[in-house]
């Protein structure tokens, strides 16, 4: 994990928020490569979950909502973790994540057994709306994106003119005042979620739970996370939320252990019923064919953007021995991202930076490719070093403009470039005219 954290900082994937002021625990910033990676992940999720489907529409809700949303959903009363204080070292800890010694909870920091009794700590960030900081102005930063979907269910049903089963999807920030943020971005206080609420008839819920679990596993495969690194954990009924008739956690083999990436839960009609009761507004669905009126049930695949980004980086990280230009073996660090996720799709290199013809041709190729994909032009240093820099950034393809390209070695290869593939390091010659379509085929 240390190597991954250091690569992330060194290459500008992820860095501490407010670093020059000593940081803010549980908050992270994504640098140039991290921001691209995150965007690629969110765009692909949106494409799979919304654009490629007839039965799902998207929404983008506000982060601040009426406090009553959180009263009705149960978050104000019960969205808490059990917290203990260590009387010895004064650490605040999450009671359910502590090691035990002789049947007693032990402080994870100093090992003391002298801990207070657990008490509930609400994870929502409280804030005030407007100029007066009194009870009537209180609301919270949303701890999940799902509730905006539930409270807009009726409006969206009307405008989207969908029939059950259908879903509403959303990507957005969520905030939880976690007691112990840790494991890099895995447990943050500010993070993003990608959530789908898929509404259905009561009798369809259990089958759709299985369907969505399969769909979501397919998604991870399609972003390059191999099934060997994933685990499906079926939550035993006694541990499920009281309203859930079935929940799966999709877990990933992180360097710090197997941990949840996504929850897929059959939440019955709990959320809509709660909001219907509390708001006094009907959230029922009317079935034209059967003339039945009922509150739909819902299946929810809920994934974390930041956790998945971290999983993508962990899954991609590899170190191998490879010869440098002089044939000497050295360690090559490569991020083997699926081309779909890679922040930069193609590096473009003139063999020499002081040859005007090579540079002009390379710049021309940048111009051709740039409207279609993220490319990176690099003319500095030996070509082998430029390849290595892109290997570390996870760039799947490198295009080199050499003397053959500009016709200085005869007409045979004029107008062609070499493409180097990151993982195999194999090179092939292709005509510049075919470059765009060839790369587009390979990065999608
Ligand atoms: P955990 O048990 O790890 O706290 P959870 O079961 O409370 O997670 P959910 O409420 O199911 O999480 O949230 C759905 C998804 O949102 C999680 O699978 C995870 O990917 C993401 N998520 C939740 N909390 C955090 C966090 N503190 N930091 C980063 N991502 C988070």
């Amino acid at each position: 994990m240390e190597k991954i954290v250091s690569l992330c900082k060194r290459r500008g994937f992820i860095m501490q928020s407010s670093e020059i002021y000593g940081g803010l625990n549980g908050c992270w910033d994504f640098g140039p490569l991290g921001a691209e990676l995150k965007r690629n992940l969110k765009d692909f999720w949106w494409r799979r979950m919304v654009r490629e489907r007839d039965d799902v529409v998207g929404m983008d809700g506000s982060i601040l909502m009426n406090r009553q949303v959180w009263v009705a959903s149960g978050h104000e009363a019960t969205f808490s973790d059990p917290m203990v204080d260590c009387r010895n070292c004064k650490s605040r800890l999450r009671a359910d994540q502590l090691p035990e010694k002789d049947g007693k909870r032990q402080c994870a920091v100093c090992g003391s057994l002298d801990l207070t009794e657990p008490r509930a700590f609400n994870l929502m960030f409280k804030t005030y709306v407007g100029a007066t900081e009194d009870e009537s102005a209180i609301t919270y930063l949303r701890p999940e994106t799902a509730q905006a979907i539930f409270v807009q269910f009726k409006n969206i049903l009307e405008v989207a003119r969908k029939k059950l089963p259908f879903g509403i999807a959303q990507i957005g920030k969520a905030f939880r005042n976690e007691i112990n943020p840790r494991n890099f971005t895995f447990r943050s206080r500010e993070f993003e979620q990608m959530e789908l609420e898929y509404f259905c008839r009561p009798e369809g819920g259990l089958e759709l739970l299985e369907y969505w679990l399969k769909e979501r596993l397919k998604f991870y495969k399609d972003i390059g996370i191999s099934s060997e690194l994933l685990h499906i954990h079926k939550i035993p009924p006694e541990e499920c939320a009281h309203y859930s008739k079935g929940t799966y956690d999709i877990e990933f083999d992180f360097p710090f252990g197997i941990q949840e990436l996504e929850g897929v839960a059959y939440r019955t009609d709990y959320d809509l019923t709660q909001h219907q009761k509390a708001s006094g507004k009907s959230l029922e669905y009317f079935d034209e064919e059967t003339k039945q009126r009922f509150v739909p049930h819902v299946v929810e695949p809920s994934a974390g953007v930041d956790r998945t980004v971290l999983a993508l980086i962990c899954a991609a990280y590899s170190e191998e021995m490879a010869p440098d230009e002089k044939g000497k073996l050295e360690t090559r660090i490569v991020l083997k991202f699926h081309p779909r996720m890679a922040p930069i799709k193609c590096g473009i290199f003139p063999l020499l930076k002081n040859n005007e013809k090579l540079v002009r041709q390379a710049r021309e190729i940048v111009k051709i490719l740039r409207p279609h994909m993220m490319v990176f032009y690099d003319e500095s240093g030996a070509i082998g070093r430029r390849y290595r820099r892109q290997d570390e950034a996870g760039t799947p393809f490198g295009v080199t403009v050499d003397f053959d390209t500009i016709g200085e070695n005869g007409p045979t290869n004029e107008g062609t470039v070499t493409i180097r593939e990151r993982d195999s390091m194999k090179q092939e010659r292709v005509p510049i005219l075919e470059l765009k379509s060839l790369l587009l085929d390979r990065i999608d």
Side-chain angles (χ1 to χ4, degrees):
M1 204 52 210
E2 246 168 55
K3 285 182 178 173
I4 286 169
V5 174
S6 123
L7 175 71
C8 283
K9 187 174 154 74
R10 182 156 44 87
R11 294 311 310 262
F13 278 94
I14 303 169
M15 40 218 171
Q16 231 188 346
S17 158
S18 338
E19 193 190 271
I20 59 167
Y21 290 102
L24 181 64
N25 201 2
C27 299
W28 300 94
D29 291 341
F30 289 77
L33 292 176
E36 288 294 330
L37 178 60
K38 204 174 180 192
R39 187 171 289 262
N40 291 342
L41 171 66
K42 290 193 285 182
D43 285 352
F44 189 65
W45 188 90
W46 194 261
R47 169 176 148 192
R48 268 293 138 84
M49 303 295 272
V50 183
R51 295 206 174 138
E52 290 180 355
R53 301 187 65 105
D54 279 330
D55 57 350
V56 176
V57 294
M59 75 165 284
D60 191 4
S62 65
I63 288 173
L64 297 173
M65 294 197 275
N66 190 306
R67 178 181 182 178
Q68 295 315 313
V69 171
W70 307 110
V71 174
S73 68
H75 283 82
E76 192 174 273
T78 62
F79 191 62
S80 55
D81 280 336
M83 179 173 74
V84 294
D85 287 322
C86 171
R87 291 198 183 90
N88 181 43
C89 73
K90 313 288 177 225
S91 296
R92 291 232 134 132
L93 305 155
R94 213 172 119 172
D96 57 336
Q97 290 179 341
L98 291 181
E100 286 196 6
K101 194 178 170 196
D102 306 329
K104 284 184 83 179
R105 282 191 205 93
Q106 191 180 20
C107 174
V109 180
C110 73
S112 163
L113 298 177
D114 190 10
L115 305 178
T116 59
E117 279 305 302
R119 57 202 185 282
F121 173 74
N122 195 299
L123 298 181
M124 288 199 293
F125 282 96
K126 197 184 263 185
T127 190
Y128 298 93
V129 176
T132 38
E133 292 196 356
D134 62 21
E135 186 68 6
S136 68
I138 289 175
T139 193
Y140 305 95
L141 301 187
R142 65 181 179 198
E144 60 174 37
T145 62
Q147 296 305 321
I149 299 180
F150 294 127
V151 300
Q152 290 293 1
F153 168 73
K154 207 59 188 256
N155 280 335
I156 293 179
L157 178 64
E158 271 165 30
V159 293
R161 302 176 57 236
K162 295 283 177 203
K163 290 202 172 116
L164 288 183
F166 84 99
I168 305 174
Q170 179 172 216
I171 300 178
K173 288 272 187 183
F175 304 83
R176 296 183 189 178
N177 200 0
E178 298 281 357
I179 299 169
N180 292 128
R182 59 183 178 165
N183 290 331
F184 203 21
T185 57
F186 177 82
R187 189 172 299 288
S188 311
R189 288 185 167 136
E190 174 174 342
F191 54 97
E192 268 181 288
Q193 292 184 313
M194 306 181 280
E195 295 195 297
L196 168 71
E197 303 303 324
Y198 196 75
F199 299 99
C200 63
R201 302 177 145 277
E203 59 275 21
L206 282 173
E207 205 177 305
L208 283 165
L209 175 67
E210 301 302 319
Y211 167 81
W212 278 109
L213 174 66
K214 283 205 195 94
E215 282 295 296
R216 296 304 303 147
L217 290 170
K218 221 185 306 156
F219 175 87
Y220 288 108
K221 182 165 164 269
D222 290 345
I223 59 172
I225 295 185
S226 108
S227 57
E228 281 146 42
L229 294 172
L230 293 175
H231 304 268
I232 300 162
H233 175 50
K234 191 173 174 78
I235 309 289
E238 65 277 12
E239 285 175 31
C240 281
H242 64 90
Y243 45 77
S244 171
K245 280 205 181 151
T247 300
Y248 290 105
D249 280 352
I250 301 177
E251 301 174 327
F252 177 80
D253 232 327
F254 286 99
F256 45 83
I258 294 173
Q259 297 276 355
E260 174 182 335
L261 262 192
E262 164 160 0
V264 185
Y266 173 23
R267 299 176 62 98
T268 66
D269 59 355
Y270 173 76
D271 305 271
L272 287 181
T273 304
Q274 287 294 101
H275 288 301
Q276 177 166 276
K277 268 196 247 157
S279 68
K281 304 270 162 41
S282 163
L283 295 177
E284 284 176 328
Y285 175 85
F286 180 66
D287 188 320
E288 304 281 350
E289 278 159 37
T290 62
K291 308 292 174 211
Q292 282 174 307
R293 204 177 280 282
F294 58 94
V295 175
H297 281 219
V298 75
V299 173
E300 174 197 78
S302 168
V305 176
D306 313 70
R307 277 189 194 179
T308 311
V309 165
L310 185 58
L312 284 168
I313 295 173
C314 293
Y317 186 90
S318 98
E319 280 177 16
E320 52 197 40
M321 297 309 284
D324 66 7
E325 290 108 80
K326 296 185 188 111
K328 198 175 124 232
L329 278 184
E330 59 169 18
T331 309
R332 179 172 92 114
I333 296 176
V334 199
L335 288 180
K336 295 186 170 178
F337 291 127
H338 189 292
R340 219 173 236 155
M341 292 295 112
I344 300 167
K345 309 299 184 193
C346 184
I348 297 163
F349 319 113
L351 192 60
L352 298 174
K353 73 169 172 191
N354 50 12
N355 180 302
E356 201 191 318
K357 264 180 146 181
L358 291 175
V359 168
R360 198 175 334 120
Q361 182 57 263
R363 293 251 182 227
E364 194 54 39
I365 293 173
V366 170
K367 245 198 241 160
I368 295 170
L369 296 180
R370 189 164 266 168
H372 307 279
M373 67 191 75
M374 184 71 184
V375 298
F376 185 77
Y377 174 83
D378 188 3
E379 58 180 25
S380 67
I383 192 76
R385 296 194 47 144
R386 285 183 258 169
Y387 286 152
R388 291 287 190 277
R389 284 203 286 265
Q390 291 309 309
D391 287 344
E392 253 192 9
T395 307
F397 303 103
V399 165
T400 303
V401 174
D402 57 16
F403 291 105
D404 280 15
T405 315
I406 55 174
E408 294 207 353
N409 293 330
T412 322
N413 285 330
E414 190 171 356
T416 66
V417 288
T418 61
I419 298 190
R420 172 196 184 256
E421 199 273 330
R422 176 195 63 206
D423 300 349
S424 64
M425 296 190 278
K426 291 220 173 81
Q427 306 206 10
E428 58 181 316
R429 272 209 103 83
V430 299
I432 295 173
L433 287 174
E434 287 169 25
L435 204 51
K436 183 181 106 190
S437 66
L438 191 144
L439 286 171
L440 281 176
D441 271 358
R442 293 186 191 176
I443 62 176
D444 188 40

